[in-house]
Structure formats: C-alpha cells, structure tokens
Amino acid sequence: MQVTKLEHACQVVEERGARLVLDPGGFTRPVDVDGVVAVVVTHEHPDHVTTEQLERILLANPGTLVFGPAGVARALAGAAAHVEVVSDGARRAVGPFDLTFHGTRHNVIHSSVPVVDNTGVLVNGRLFHPGDSWTVPGVPVEVLAAPVGAPWLKVAEMMDYVAAVAPRRAYPVHEATLSEVGLGMHLDRLRQAVEPAGELVVLRPGESMTV
C-alpha cells in the first residue's frame, strides 16, 4: 500500500491499482486522480473538504463512495454526492480497503467556536489519519498521519498524542498554517515524540511512502 501526501490534510492511498482519497480540502492542489473507489472526509471544515474538490473527484470517478460523520453529510447536502454516515466503531470494506472509524468530535479551537463531528480512519489496519482530533484508536498503528499545526493544536499535546499512539512510523500532515521556520520547529518536536521507538518520515507535498 502506498500513501501520497498532498498539501495540508489531503492524502491519496493506493492499493492494487485502487485509490482512496482522504480529506480533499481547499488548502491542497486540485485532486485529479483516477481509480478512486472511496473518499473519507474526517470533518466538515473547508481545509478538509470542499464541494469543488469532491465533485471533481466524483466526476472523474463515477460510483465513488463517500464516508464521513453526520456533520459532513449535513455540510455537503447540496453537493452532488451522497455521504454515507460513519462514526466511532464503524467498519466498511471498499475494494482493497478495509476502513475502521474512530472518534466522534473535533478538538476544541475556542469556547466561541462550535465543536463539529470528527471521525478518524484506520486504513487496512496500518495507516491512521485522525483528522482534527487526538483520538487514540486503541489498536496498534503502524503508520500515523500526525497533525503538526492548527489553531486547536499545542505542541505539547501533539507530542503526548504521538507517544500515546506509539506508531512504528509517522509523517506530518496539517502543516499549511505554519511558516517554514515554524514547521521545522514542530517537526523537531514530532521527531522527539516518535523516536527512538519509531521513525519520522517527512513527506513533502507530492511525495509518497510504502505502508
């Protein structure tokens, strides 16, 4: 299984010629890929999904299934897509992808900002993408897509979260809010949390790794 990191939270996972798109939001390049069998949207914020990105994918890949929590289904009600609602504990199989879903709520940004639904996804029992939450899936995680920059994120909490998940490998996502200097600083702290028990793999947008 191969994962390609695009900008910010978007990732494309490929297995045996089939593709799974995670969080095609507005902070990433237009997602122009074929062979897509499913899209997972962890939550409704526009840096994780836009109707334009989703409709672009669906137009190129008719029959693609879309999964997300209830808040995503409500937010995308006017889009040309049916969102199958999933939440903590749900499991779906699509093509070569076995998807299990973990968590229910987005991390708190501020008391004045509504907390939305957020459900992370574990792909084929190996790759976990938490969305915007500190959900620990409660099962071994081989590879973690680790958020490194956000209005809801403290570096200390990020380090504690990565230590709690204890992945064999991690790669940074959710970096668009950081400058190059800030990203470098956060990566140093992420590396400290992952190593020496695991390995940090820094993927720049467009780069891939085998999971």
Side-chain angles (χ1 to χ4, degrees):
M1 187 168 75
Q2 185 178 69
V3 58
T4 300
K5 185 209 176 303
L6 301 184
E7 293 81 5
H8 200 56
C10 187
Q11 298 140 82
V12 179
V13 186
E14 183 172 352
E15 175 83 354
R16 301 200 301 272
R19 291 188 173 96
L20 167 71
V21 178
L22 307 179
D23 281 355
F27 288 7
T28 192
R29 69 190 70 182
V31 182
D32 292 316
V33 291
D34 57 15
V36 179
V37 296
V39 176
V40 172
V41 179
T42 60
H43 66 282
E44 65 203 72
H45 288 160
D47 58 325
H48 289 254
V49 67
T50 65
T51 55
E52 293 81 7
Q53 287 276 38
L54 188 57
E55 289 174 351
R56 179 184 292 108
I57 294 168
L58 296 179
L59 183 63
N61 300 273
T64 296
L65 299 178
V66 182
F67 301 103
V72 169
R74 290 191 295 269
L76 296 176
H82 168 72
V83 178
E84 182 175 340
V85 174
V86 291
S87 190
D88 186 58
R91 183 172 182 175
R92 299 290 187 272
V94 185
F97 300 109
D98 181 67
L99 310 174
T100 55
F101 296 90
H102 300 268
T104 59
R105 304 297 279 171
H106 191 287
N107 278 1
V108 173
I109 299 172
H110 185 264
S111 59
S112 66
V113 180
V115 177
V116 301
D117 297 332
N118 182 101
T119 301
V121 62
L122 181 67
V123 182
N124 289 348
R126 286 177 276 167
L127 168 65
F128 186 61
H129 173 42
D132 285 5
S133 76
W134 296 141
T135 297
V136 177
V139 296
V141 172
E142 181 178 333
V143 179
L144 174 67
V148 293
W152 48 265
L153 185 152
K154 289 183 179 179
V155 170
E157 293 174 345
M158 173 191 72
M159 295 175 71
D160 287 343
Y161 173 67
V162 172
V165 176
R168 290 176 55 191
R169 288 182 290 169
Y171 64 94
V173 298
H174 215 283
E175 78 288 354
T177 61
L178 299 174
S179 68
E180 281 298 314
V181 172
L183 177 60
M185 180 180 69
H186 286 216
L187 291 181
D188 286 343
R189 294 295 175 242
L190 177 57
R191 183 175 289 106
Q192 181 181 345
V194 174
E195 299 174 352
E199 177 189 6
L200 177 65
V201 180
V202 178
L203 297 178
R204 300 294 178 178
E207 294 182 342
S208 304
M209 66 182 289
T210 300
V211 175

